[in-house]
Amino acid sequence: MVGIRTRAVIISNRRATGLTSDVIAELVAELGPLWHERHQAKLVSRPRKRAVGGGPKHQLVFVDRLLATLVHLRHGATHDVLACWFSVDRSTITRAIGEVRPLLAERGCTVSPDVRLRTLAEVVEYLGTSGTTGIIDGTEIRVRRPAAGRKDRDTFISGKNKQNAVKSMVVTDGEGRMLWCSPARPASCADITHARQLGLVNLLSDGPLVEILADAGYQGLGAQTGGRVVTPPHRKFKKNAPDWYEEMYERQRKAHSSRRIRVEHGIAHLKNWRALTRHLGRREHMSNTVQAVAGLLSHQQTADLRSTRQA
């Protein structure tokens, strides 16, 4: 088990986990009892030859399990390196990350101390209630190529980057604060198709009057949602356009781009977590990884905003 001094250094140094000590303390208080409850339920549910609680004790307490997961997500440290750091076996780190990562993913994105957004429907309702402008965009994360002979080997090839990747739809507010990240899908899916499959069209058509900015990859959603999705203007003249039209088109395009650029900043903050720059593990874990990082980032952004207002 990692020493008390080493644990204190990890918690106190924001560069190690990307989170302040106050946020880590809130995570421990929130997720610790939930992890213990699930662990006890797992022990009770299976046939046993000894009483619950018998046998060897955990070499990693929950705080160390959480810290190992945070360092892994932030810096992409391998399980072998973390095992050496925490003086345990590699399988112990693998099991710890596999238990903590879903707990982090289920938390959702924190927009205020008492508001969490876990689904796209909750995001649309929040935007309508608060009168906030939302911004959507897709981001791709490189993954390992499926083995030869797999029938779905080509589904992960991105048509844009020509690489094996998965795709997630990111939703931020007008200031670039993270509101939600969708589960990961193979990158061969187009952005607009992904949005439709997530139910965005139905939610906006039947939901509150909101404004959501998007890039040209989502052109067509505006007509399906009653103008709630705003995309760059269509180019009416492809050849021999008048000078006055070129000036107007460029002015409208730049005005839209300057408002939409904040979602790119939000995605950049996501990609600061090395687990999302290039994933070398199992592709089945990508949805939990993306949503866990989004939840941690939004929690830290909310904490920073709260401390700034208090100052």
Side-chain angles (χ1 to χ4, degrees), residues 1 15 22-23 36 69 84 90 94 101 104-105 111 119 123-124 155 180 222 235-236 276 291 300:
M1 185 173 61
R15 292 180 298 176
D22 293 337
V23 172
H36 181 74
T69 305
C84 295
R90 179 185 182 276
T94 302
R101 182 171 48 203
L104 294 172
V111 296
T119 64
V123 174
V124 173
T155 60
W180 187 70
R235 190 179 185 88
K236 297 181 180 180
L276 300 184
Q291 293 182 315
Q300 186 59 60

Side-chain angles (χ1 to χ4, degrees), residues 207-220:
L209 184 62
V210 299
E211 181 187 43
I212 295 182
L213 305 179
D215 62 9
Y218 296 91
Q219 282 182 343

Side-chain angles (χ1 to χ4, degrees), residues 223-255:
Q224 296 178 344
T225 59
R228 289 173 171 83
V229 176
V230 182
T231 55
H234 288 275
R235 190 179 185 88
K236 297 181 180 180
F237 295 91
K238 294 184 178 180
K239 296 181 179 179
N240 302 323
D243 293 339
W244 64 267
Y245 178 79
E246 287 289 349
E247 295 178 2
M248 181 186 69
Y249 176 79
E250 285 297 319
R251 184 168 60 253
Q252 293 176 347
R253 187 184 62 82
K254 290 182 179 180

Side-chain angles (χ1 to χ4, degrees), residues 180-288:
W180 187 70
C181 269
S182 72
R185 287 186 54 83
S188 59
C189 180
D191 287 349
I192 189 171
T193 303
H194 191 195
R196 288 169 177 160
Q197 292 175 348
L198 292 171
L200 181 63
V201 175
N202 295 332
L203 291 172
L204 293 178
S205 299
D206 303 331
L209 184 62
V210 299
E211 181 187 43
I212 295 182
L213 305 179
D215 62 9
Y218 296 91
Q219 282 182 343
L221 289 185
Q224 296 178 344
T225 59
R228 289 173 171 83
V229 176
V230 182
T231 55
H234 288 275
R235 190 179 185 88
K236 297 181 180 180
F237 295 91
K238 294 184 178 180
K239 296 181 179 179
N240 302 323
D243 293 339
W244 64 267
Y245 178 79
E246 287 289 349
E247 295 178 2
M248 181 186 69
Y249 176 79
E250 285 297 319
R251 184 168 60 253
Q252 293 176 347
R253 187 184 62 82
K254 290 182 179 180
H256 181 273
S257 177
S258 64
R259 296 183 64 198
R260 199 197 64 83
I261 193 64
R262 296 302 182 93
V263 72
E264 303 292 351
H265 300 164
I267 292 176
H269 288 305
L270 273 180
K271 295 299 181 70
N272 283 336
W273 295 69
R274 292 294 299 275
L276 300 184
T277 54
R278 182 174 182 180
H279 186 71
L280 300 178
R282 298 176 64 88
R283 293 181 299 275
E284 293 80 1
H285 298 156
M286 278 308 303
S287 292
N288 281 340

